[in-house]
Amino acid sequence: MTNVIETRGLVKRYGDLTAVDHVDITVPQGTFFGLLGPNGAGKTTTLEMIEGIREPDEGDVRLFGEKVWPRNRAVLPRIGVQLQASAFFERLSVEEQLRCFADLYAVDHKQIDRMIEMVGLQEKRKTRTEDLSGGQKQRLSIACSLIHDPEVVFLDEPTAALDPQARRNLWDVLRAINDEGRTVVLTTHYMDEAEILCDQIAIIDRGQILTTDTPRNLITGLGSAYRILVSEGVLSDQEAAALPGVDSASLSDGTLAITTHTPSPVLAALAERDALQGLQVTGATLEDVFLTLTGREYRA
Amino acid sequence: MTSFWALTRAQWFGFWRDKQNWFWLLAFPLMFLVLFGFLFRDAGASKSSLTQIGSVAIIDQLPAEAKAQFDNLFEVTKTDDAAAALEEVRKGDVDGAVEQKGNEVILHYSQADQVKAATVRGTLGAFVDGANVAMSGQPPTFTLKAEAAEDDSLKPIQFIAPGLLGWAVAMGATFNAAMPFVTWRTNKLLRRLRLAPMRTESLVSSRLLVSIAVAMIQMGVFLAVGVGLFDLKLTGSWWMAIPLLLCATIAFMAIGLIAGAISKTAEAASGIANVIILPMAFLSGSFIPLDQAPSWLQTIAKFLPLGQLNEGLLDSLVRGEGPGAALMPMVYLLGFAVVFGLIAARLFRWED
């Protein structure tokens, strides 16, 4: 697989602050790549340097093997960048915004209808952008960034400030984009979003990449225990503690909590005792990985 | 070229659909045109008002030709009440009262308005002198024939309309350049456009085309209202106003781009544009004609782009000058556009 994005030793400083500190990122073609980090970690600055709209102080960015700074008009038609949901012309309808961007990229006007359908704005095509809801604007800005059928799509916190329905709605759109074979790069500080959407996740904090891997490997690599919750009364905590593979068992608020590193034999034993009613299993999440790596201290 | 037309189209709709634009750039200057048009409608043909007490032979017995001339200059009301007539003069209701006692023609005037008084004294004196000469039976040796340098039709509207049009176009081009670029920097549209494979020139030139279209609409409406409502008479090569306004639009767009580049918000850009354009409009004779202004002010006006524009518009639209008269202002405006355009290019920013 060819690498679409390659950065080496990317550095950006703002005065005394090193916002991006020697970042190396490699993104193979077709990957859904997530850049995950707390606010102010350097996600956006990194993304902007890759897109070619911010000049790195040090290091090198290659998109399709080409330089992106200064403004490289050969690369631009091959990338799609979704910006803030306000980056529209004033007083233009959904259809007219898309038409303008279609013409800027000299693509067929058929794309306008395709895009409107893809982001589900058929009902709003004659509506001016000022009158759209936040989620609709977000979807339109994604449509504007995809109109020219780019090979790589960059999305900077696309679901920030969206309600839960709109978020899930947008996830479907993003997954569809990736399923078409496009490389997608996403920044987010939502763990669930990164876990559900991404093939590869780079966790970034204080301008440095802490680790890069698949969500699954990151979570299992943590080696943390599973918690199995069963209703009280099926078996006592002493009985539960004696089951094979159980690390500990405790009773609280009418629920028996079992901790284990090997859930399979424990679940089998519970099934034998017909104790699966109302059973819950929780494993480590990306959030645990994240907090383990970045620490738990509060940051403003 | 597709980028250019796409951007022109998008920006034109954005402009066209905003009613505020049309108010500030068209209705607002037109309000001034209508206001000044009505205020100064008859100013050019102002007569002196004169009350005649009893019979005044020198006026009553004027030959027909001289009588017609006299009536052109004086609005005469006749009365027999001398006291009331004098009271009117004191109050300033009439410019003078005249009576004749034997061979003595007596003019009563008020010292409160020296200018009017002098006008009445001088004019009436000329008629008395004329009567004396006529009485002597000798043909006059010298005659004075006074003629206005301008066309007879040079009413105030002829000065008002070009000046206000110049101001409207200057305002339009400046705001039209300053506001969108600030707004687009704030809402990141500029960044989005920068990520599209278009040329920067397409962006600036499409904005210019929109501004030129606005200037042409302003000119059309101004001249239509002036001619239709206020008897504005276009002379000679009035069409030279078109290339002149074109050059002016480029020059003021450069000013607007600078105002936009140094402002962080649209409000600030609008403030800076106002601070530049409004005083310039006064100094350039858009609201008050500069003919009677002190010479230092006229010199300043020569160096202001709006002063040059107004001078060119006056020459082409109403002074009956040939097409060449607009050339110097055009050259000046283009030169101004080049210098300030380069400054604007240096200051231009894609983002904050």
Side-chain angles (χ1 to χ4, degrees):
Chain A
M1 249 195 302
T2 48
N3 289 328
V4 174
I5 301 168
E6 276 178 314
T7 79
R8 266 200 310 272
L10 220 46
V11 174
K12 185 74 194 178
R13 295 187 194 88
Y14 297 114
D16 286 340
L17 177 83
T18 306
V20 175
D21 190 0
H22 296 90
V23 163
D24 302 302
I25 289 174
T26 306
V27 181
Q29 197 186 340
T31 311
F32 203 127
F33 187 87
L35 205 50
L36 184 65
N39 289 333
K43 300 188 294 283
T44 302
T45 308
T46 305
L47 206 62
E48 285 173 355
M49 286 191 285
I50 298 173
E51 293 160 355
I53 49 181
R54 203 169 287 281
E55 188 180 11
D57 290 330
E58 279 174 42
D60 186 46
V61 181
R62 299 276 165 163
L63 268 181
F64 317 105
E66 294 205 50
K67 279 198 173 298
V68 294
W69 185 274
R71 191 166 178 254
N72 183 348
R73 290 209 292 139
V75 169
L76 294 177
R78 303 176 70 184
I79 67 169
V81 179
Q82 180 259 335
L83 292 174
Q84 283 176 13
S86 56
F88 301 121
F89 287 97
E90 316 80 270
R91 292 173 284 281
L92 254 53
S93 70
V94 165
E95 194 177 4
E96 289 164 339
Q97 301 280 0
L98 284 166
R99 186 189 155 144
C100 182
F101 283 106
D103 287 341
L104 284 178
Y105 287 92
V107 297
D108 198 291
H109 285 177
K110 278 192 210 117
Q111 274 293 96
I112 300 169
D113 295 325
R114 262 201 65 208
M115 285 302 127
I116 288 178
E117 206 173 309
M118 177 173 187
V119 297
L121 286 174
Q122 293 95 324
E123 316 260 286
K124 298 284 174 187
R125 64 184 305 148
K126 302 278 181 208
T127 307
R128 292 204 189 161
T129 37
E130 287 87 351
D131 300 327
L132 295 178
S133 73
Q136 289 164 342
K137 280 184 193 166
Q138 200 73 289
R139 280 183 276 153
L140 176 60
S141 77
I142 290 177
C144 286
S145 65
L146 292 175
I147 189 105
H148 54 293
D149 210 4
E151 295 162 55
V152 187
V153 184
F154 295 94
L155 304 143
D156 195 3
E157 314 224 348
T159 60
L162 291 190
D163 60 43
Q165 278 90 354
R167 265 183 90 201
R168 271 161 186 77
N169 192 314
L170 196 58
W171 286 354
D172 292 338
V173 173
L174 299 181
R175 230 183 255 118
I177 295 167
N178 184 236
D179 288 345
E180 288 172 4
R182 275 182 258 266
T183 310
V184 180
V185 180
L186 170 103
T187 73
T188 184
H189 57 257
Y190 294 119
M191 308 302 145
D192 52 347
E193 190 162 291
E195 199 171 338
I196 287 171
L197 292 172
C198 298
D199 303 324
Q200 284 272 320
I201 291 175
I203 294 179
I204 182 168
D205 193 24
R206 297 195 168 98
Q208 290 176 321
I209 301 279
L210 303 177
T211 179
T212 308
D213 213 329
T214 64
R216 190 98 311 265
N217 286 348
L218 286 172
I219 293 163
T220 47
L222 208 56
S224 64
Y226 291 83
R227 272 160 70 81
I228 300 170
L229 304 177
V230 275
S231 309
E232 185 188 7
V234 181
L235 70 172
S236 69
D237 47 350
Q238 286 91 346
E239 279 177 289
L243 291 177
V246 170
D247 300 337
S248 67
S250 63
L251 199 64
S252 69
D253 293 337
T255 307
L256 179 66
I258 302 166
T259 317
T260 174
H261 277 84
T262 51
S264 310
V266 180
L267 286 171
L270 286 172
E272 269 171 35
R273 287 166 176 74
D274 199 19
L276 294 182
Q277 191 75 30
L279 175 133
Q280 281 184 48
V281 183
T282 54
T285 62
L286 200 53
E287 193 154 350
D288 299 315
V289 178
F290 186 77
L291 291 173
T292 308
L293 288 168
T294 61
R296 283 168 182 274
E297 82 272 26
Y298 177 77
R299 292 186 213 154
Chain B
M1 276 314 263
T2 40
S3 299
F4 172 74
W5 289 114
L7 292 166
T8 306
R9 207 183 117 92
Q11 295 181 74
W12 174 253
F13 282 137
F15 182 88
W16 177 263
R17 289 172 185 169
D18 188 358
K19 288 177 190 69
Q20 281 201 44
N21 285 336
W22 294 112
F23 175 77
W24 288 112
L25 302 184
L26 211 54
F28 183 57
L30 271 178
M31 269 163 46
F32 279 88
L33 183 71
V34 172
L35 190 70
F36 288 169
F38 278 119
L39 272 181
F40 302 117
R41 189 166 228 177
D42 301 316
S46 88
K47 293 181 181 179
S48 300
S49 51
L50 196 64
T51 305
Q52 181 185 333
I53 305 164
S55 81
V56 177
I58 197 169
I59 298 173
D60 294 339
Q61 288 160 23
L62 279 172
E65 195 193 329
K67 176 71 176 146
Q69 217 178 352
F70 186 85
D71 287 344
N72 257 335
L73 298 166
F74 291 107
E75 186 86 57
V76 183
T77 32
K78 294 188 179 181
T79 179
D80 287 324
D81 187 347
L86 289 182
E87 184 56 29
E88 277 183 348
V89 175
R90 266 193 292 275
K91 278 197 210 152
D93 293 341
V94 289
D95 298 334
V98 65
E99 60 182 323
Q100 189 168 6
K101 287 179 181 161
N103 281 341
E104 205 177 15
V105 178
I106 304 159
L107 172 69
H108 304 276
Y109 62 90
S110 162
Q111 283 181 314
D113 191 336
Q114 303 268 359
V115 178
K116 275 186 183 165
T119 311
V120 175
R121 272 174 73 179
T123 323
L124 201 60
F127 277 93
V128 174
D129 289 346
N132 281 331
V133 172
M135 289 291 281
S136 72
Q138 296 279 333
T141 315
F142 301 106
T143 53
L144 173 70
K145 199 175 169 210
E147 279 182 1
E150 298 95 347
D151 189 85
D152 273 347
S153 65
L154 217 55
K155 289 189 195 155
I157 185 72
Q158 304 289 94
F159 291 104
I160 295 166
L164 286 176
L165 174 61
W167 168 57
V169 168
M171 193 165 61
T174 309
F175 279 81
N176 234 333
M179 307 292 276
F181 287 100
V182 182
T183 312
W184 297 349
R185 215 166 46 225
T186 321
N187 74 6
K188 302 278 196 257
L189 180 63
L190 271 190
R191 173 188 279 197
R192 179 65 190 84
L193 292 174
R194 188 187 185 186
L195 284 161
M198 52 131 214
R199 294 178 181 281
T200 317
E201 300 88 72
S202 304
L203 186 60
V204 179
S205 56
S206 59
R207 193 73 217 173
L208 179 62
L209 187 60
V210 170
S211 293
I212 288 172
V214 174
M216 291 301 122
I217 292 174
Q218 287 175 313
M219 175 178 157
V221 174
F222 256 78
L223 296 189
V225 171
V227 171
L229 221 59
F230 299 108
D231 229 9
L232 174 70
K233 290 199 173 49
L234 298 178
T235 58
S237 43
W238 66 269
W239 43 268
M240 277 304 282
I242 295 170
L244 189 61
L245 289 178
L246 216 122
C247 298
T249 305
I250 305 175
F252 284 101
M253 185 168 170
I255 295 181
L257 285 175
I258 294 175
I262 59 176
S263 310
K264 281 240 182 285
T265 62
E267 288 77 16
S270 149
I272 292 176
N274 260 324
V275 161
I276 297 171
I277 295 301
L278 208 57
M280 197 197 290
F282 273 102
L283 295 176
S284 305
S286 274
F287 304 123
I288 31 161
L290 288 183
D291 300 346
Q292 279 120 45
S295 63
W296 59 265
L297 184 55
Q298 299 194 20
T299 312
I300 291 179
K302 277 197 184 69
F303 288 97
L304 295 172
L306 187 49
Q308 289 282 337
L309 172 62
N310 285 343
E311 194 62 21
L313 284 175
L314 281 168
D315 282 349
S316 326
L317 288 175
V318 298
R319 280 183 187 147
E321 301 274 341
L327 286 181
M328 267 321 286
M330 279 165 67
V331 168
Y332 176 89
L333 286 167
L334 284 180
F336 186 93
V338 168
V339 173
F340 282 76
L342 285 173
I343 298 174
R346 284 294 296 273
L347 293 174
F348 181 81
R349 288 172 296 150
W350 287 95
E351 2 206 313
D352 286 315

